[in-house]
């Protein structure tokens, strides 16, 4: 499955050209109050696998424009890839709060819950996701059902 930063497809072998990052760094320097530029910079860092820089840029984007659903989604994606699942959950929840019809964010939220072993929470997302994108709902359901049960400690 290819996960997507809004506007950018992310693959492990798809680094963002440093010239693109440099261009976006200049744009945020020239217009530091432009949330869209901060979002784009964060996404570019993400494509390059620079998750700490991505998080910092995306936090700036959502600070400037609190209802920027795509920046919240991208922030969740960056946190998820940095293995900071609790903050990824918070960011994905903000994304769907500001844009309820956002199947990518609902799917990502479900995936993070699954990765945390919170399968009941992941299942709660399925009806909403089914309404918005049946194919994504089936992917999430398959992922949930393929998750082995937790090992019980003696």
């Amino acid at each position: 499955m290819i996960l997507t930063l809004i506007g950018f497809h992310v693959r492990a072998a798809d680094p963002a050209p440093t010239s693109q990052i440099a261009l976006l760094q200049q744009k945020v320097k020239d217009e530091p109050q432009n949330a869209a530029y901060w979002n784009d910079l964060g996404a570019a860092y993400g494509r390059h696998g620079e998750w700490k820089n991505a998080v910092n840029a995306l936090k700036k984007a959502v600070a400037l424009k609190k209802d920027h659903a795509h920046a919240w989604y991208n922030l969740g994606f960056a946190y998820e890839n940095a293995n900071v699942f609790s903050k990824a959950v918070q960011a994905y929840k903000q994304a769907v709060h500001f844009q309820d019809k956002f199947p990518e964010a609902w799917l990502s939220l479900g995936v993070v819950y699954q990765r945390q072993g919170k399968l009941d929470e992941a299942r709660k997302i399925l009806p909403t996701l089914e309404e918005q994108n049946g194919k994504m709902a089936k992917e999430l359901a398959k992922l949930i059902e393929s998750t082995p049960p937790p090992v019980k400690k003696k």
Side-chain angles (χ1 to χ4, degrees), residues 67-114:
D67 65 348
H68 195 318
H70 290 166
W72 280 110
Y73 171 79
N74 289 342
L75 181 59
F77 189 87
Y79 276 131
E80 181 179 355
N81 281 279
N83 294 315
V84 185
F85 298 135
S86 61
K87 289 189 177 188
V89 165
Q90 293 170 356
Y92 288 139
K93 283 182 174 181
Q94 287 294 97
V96 298
H97 170 77
F98 290 115
Q99 185 178 324
D100 181 59
K101 302 259 188 288
F102 199 161
E104 296 86 357
W106 285 109
L107 174 62
S108 295
L109 180 58
V111 168
V112 172
Y113 279 140
Q114 180 271 336

Side-chain angles (χ1 to χ4, degrees), residues 1 23 30 35 41 50 58 79 120-121 125 129:
M1 171 174 36
L23 174 67
D30 293 343
L41 179 59
E50 296 182 30
L58 293 161
Y79 276 131
D120 289 338
E121 292 299 315
I125 291 168
L129 190 55

